[in-house]
Amino acid sequence: MTTPLTWLVRIGAACVLAAPALSPGAASALTTATATATATAPLQPLSLTGLDLRAGSDPYTVPLTAEYEQVGIGGALTGTDRVALPGNEDPGCAARAAYLPRVPVRSWFCWPTAAQGDKADLPHSPWVPQGLATSGEAQLDGTPIGGDHRALITSWVWLNSPDPDNPDYRTNSVNLSVVDLDDRRYRNVLPVWVDGQGKLRRVYGHGGGLAWYGPYLFMTSSTNWNGYSGPDSTYNTIRVFDTRKIYRKRDGSGGDYKYVIPEVRHYITPIRLDYVSLDRHSSGGASLITGTYKASSGSTGSPAGTKLVRYRFQPPPDGDYRLINAPVQAWVSTVPADPADAISDVQGVQSDGDLLYINMAAGAHPGPDPRRRFATVNVATTPRTISAHTSWAYRPEDLSQWYATGELWGLTEGEEERVVFSVAIADVDPS
């Protein structure tokens, strides 16, 4: 690695100062919550019956046309046409420090103004960041297979609508941003599938979560294709992509299709899964931990009903992207004794063995900042213990663990409030 990392060090040191400090009351609440073991467990075991995956057919059977050349993740992370990402040295980005977690932040940056969305014109600026995966989970040395710089990938969902003044969000397009963390630049890579004639077609669905294991990128996807054809498009799925098989249009044209990553496999899921992450420390080997979004407010709202499921990878020599269809663990959230301990409105989960790190946004919650909710749950204890607080990022989304540095990475989704950040697990995990 030849590119210096000083921007991360510089920004990380500055952002600890820029991030809103914990007030004495908030610090006290965090300490109190950390010591709490609820009488009613926030998560209960869920029956594994009916939660099996079904492997779909491999749609990537026809080679791409000669118009494309294979460049892999390394090619996606290079080039002068990538977009620079502002850090806290940029006044516009520095002003967004208010949306960072209220615990020490190690590093952070913002998306450029064009990708921040517009609070005053939401239907006309519909791209919203959702999933997040890092090369620090993909590889223990922190660099992706086929690349020599540390990297991060986010998914964005386009809430399509035939009439932007009367939004109909049934049709969701997806795009991926591939970020070089060492020079803080990125480009977009379009997830596609290849039809029987070798034609590239856009992947639709709500790409709510990402996980990265070796070269393989996993994305949760919904049925929001609104009639567009695609492999098992009428089912909720986990779709799999190979980061070594990123292709570039040779002549530099193609618009959204200039850089593409074809789907190599998908799994039909029995329930809609809205986020996913990789756990390298789970019993029995690496696994995916994934779950549902369940709102706690509204006419049908309840703090109970969020489902979390763990699927294990097949063992070598058959293992790569292949998952074992049957889940190995599952939980469902309950109505806890203390309403502040509710596991609801979940936007992302990261598992480190028996410890689940969960971030949540909004919902029926008695705390002062319901859009900054975070909980650590130890599912191995009886009763299951929870450490909950409202000092996380504002309107958070997916989570990723950077194993070598002991960090959690996260991002926020709000229009004009979008930041990407890392924190030390030790600062959010009381154990």
Side-chain angles (χ1 to χ4, degrees):
M1 219 182 297
T2 58
T3 306
L5 307 184
T6 51
W7 76 269
L8 278 176
V9 176
R10 183 183 72 249
I11 293 175
C15 73
V16 172
L17 298 176
L22 279 173
S23 66
S28 175
L30 176 55
T31 303
T32 301
T34 296
T36 300
T38 61
T40 302
L43 292 174
Q44 296 284 1
L46 177 66
S47 170
L48 303 182
T49 302
L51 293 179
D52 284 9
L53 301 173
R54 286 193 292 133
S57 59
D58 186 346
Y60 185 36
T61 56
V62 179
L64 270 65
T65 66
E67 296 176 288
Y68 283 87
E69 59 178 337
Q70 184 174 340
V71 297
I73 188 70
L77 291 169
T78 58
T80 58
D81 58 337
R82 292 171 299 138
V83 179
L85 291 162
N88 73 334
E89 76 285 347
D90 176 86
C93 182
R96 295 185 173 96
Y99 307 110
L100 292 167
R102 291 173 174 166
V103 297
V105 176
R106 285 193 172 178
S107 59
W108 69 288
F109 60 85
C110 299
W111 298 105
T113 301
Q116 282 289 338
D118 184 348
K119 286 180 180 292
D121 198 18
L122 297 184
H124 298 269
S125 56
W127 281 112
V128 181
Q130 296 290 293
L132 175 130
T134 63
S135 59
E137 66 179 285
Q139 289 267 91
L140 290 179
D141 69 0
T143 59
I145 294 174
D148 57 6
H149 286 189
R150 301 176 317 146
L152 177 150
I153 302 177
T154 62
S155 61
W156 297 71
V157 60
W158 177 298
L159 302 178
N160 288 329
S161 176
D163 178 2
D165 294 314
N166 184 25
D168 177 359
Y169 294 156
R170 290 176 296 171
T171 306
N172 291 181
S173 300
V174 186
N175 214 340
L176 301 173
S177 290
V178 178
V179 178
D180 184 331
L181 290 172
D182 294 325
D183 71 1
R184 217 170 73 201
R185 290 179 174 272
Y186 81 102
R187 74 165 73 255
N188 288 334
V189 176
L190 186 69
V192 298
W193 61 283
V194 186
D195 70 13
Q197 288 71 48
K199 182 177 177 60
L200 300 181
R201 297 187 179 276
R202 184 188 295 266
V203 169
Y204 290 90
H206 190 91
L210 295 177
W212 197 351
Y213 186 40
Y216 296 103
L217 187 70
F218 298 79
M219 181 178 76
T220 58
S221 180
S222 68
T223 61
N224 295 15
W225 290 51
N226 198 26
Y228 286 90
S229 62
D232 289 320
S233 59
T234 58
Y235 295 96
N236 297 308
T237 58
I238 297 174
R239 298 189 179 269
V240 190
F241 306 87
D242 187 339
T243 59
R244 297 169 299 186
K245 296 178 180 178
I246 295 176
Y247 296 84
R248 175 177 59 204
K249 195 82 176 296
R250 291 183 186 274
D251 63 5
S253 67
D256 286 352
Y257 290 81
K258 180 178 179 180
Y259 282 80
V260 298
I261 181 170
E263 177 185 324
V264 297
R265 178 56 60 95
H266 63 271
Y267 292 90
I268 298 168
T269 63
I271 55 177
R272 171 172 166 164
L273 299 172
D274 295 294
Y275 39 85
V276 64
S277 64
L278 176 72
D279 183 358
R280 287 184 169 272
H281 294 159
S282 58
S283 176
S287 63
L288 293 183
I289 183 79
T290 185
T292 62
Y293 177 84
K294 170 68 168 57
S296 63
S297 58
S299 59
T300 60
S302 167
T306 296
K307 297 176 181 178
L308 304 175
V309 189
R310 187 191 298 277
Y311 296 98
R312 188 174 295 153
F313 287 91
Q314 292 185 15
D318 297 323
D320 40 43
Y321 57 76
R322 295 180 178 88
L323 295 165
I324 297 172
N325 288 349
V328 292
Q329 287 178 299
W331 304 270
V332 62
S333 66
T334 63
V335 179
D338 184 347
D341 290 340
I343 302 298
S344 66
D345 311 271
V346 175
Q347 300 279 55
V349 62
Q350 174 68 52
S351 174
D352 193 14
D354 291 326
L355 287 178
L356 305 185
Y357 305 111
I358 302 168
N359 67 18
M360 299 161 278
H365 185 270
D369 289 302
R371 293 191 172 192
R372 292 182 177 272
R373 298 164 58 202
F374 189 94
T376 302
V377 183
N378 189 329
V379 294
T381 60
T382 304
R384 289 175 178 81
T385 54
I386 179 171
S387 304
H389 62 79
T390 55
S391 300
W392 194 238
Y394 184 77
R395 294 184 64 188
E397 274 294 330
D398 210 13
L399 292 171
S400 174
Q401 182 167 347
W402 199 292
Y403 283 86
T405 59
E407 293 175 322
L408 277 182
W409 283 74
L411 75 167
T412 61
E413 68 171 341
E415 288 74 15
E416 303 179 34
E417 303 166 352
R418 293 169 181 167
V419 293
V420 181
F421 59 87
S422 69
V423 303
I425 291 176
D427 288 327
V428 296
D429 175 17
S431 62

